[in-house]
Amino acid sequence: KVYHLFAHKLAHAIYEKFSVENSISIVSQSGRDLNDPWIVSIETTQDIVGDTRNKIEAFTNEQILNVKDITNDILSFKYPIA
């Protein structure tokens, strides 16, 4: 659930910052820290190259360092979870 919510939040942030429609999947692996996912896959509706691609990758890597913050949001009932 944490990665699912985080991927949704990150996809929205990427769209807002870079105007790029995208879909994000994040895969964990046992034994890895929460801010060290095994796979982060970003699919876009258009080809992204060069500087924009590099900026999106850097932004994503920066945001992943803060993935643990979403647990506080969950515990504060900021997101409805069924």
Side-chain angles (χ1 to χ4, degrees):
K1 291 273 187 189
V2 171
Y3 278 151
H4 177 77
L5 289 171
F6 182 74
H8 179 76
K9 184 177 175 181
L10 180 58
H12 183 72
I14 288 172
Y15 179 76
E16 291 294 317
K17 187 171 179 87
F18 301 101
S19 299
V20 174
E21 291 184 25
N22 68 89
S23 166
I24 299 179
S25 297
I26 303 175
V27 179
S28 63
Q29 184 180 40
S30 293
R32 293 179 86 115
D33 196 39
L34 191 59
N35 64 353
D36 183 27
W38 184 43
I39 297 170
V40 177
S41 173
I42 303 174
E43 294 183 32
T44 61
T45 57
Q46 59 198 34
D47 287 333
I48 307 299
V49 295
D51 193 45
T52 302
R53 180 185 174 107
N54 293 337
K55 286 180 180 180
I56 290 173
E57 286 180 11
F59 179 74
T60 299
N61 290 334
E62 178 183 302
Q63 295 302 305
I64 287 173
L65 295 176
N66 301 316
V67 70
K68 291 181 181 180
D69 293 345
I70 205 162
T71 58
N72 292 331
D73 293 342
I74 292 168
L75 293 173
S76 301
F77 301 102
K78 187 173 181 178
Y79 300 102
I81 298 178

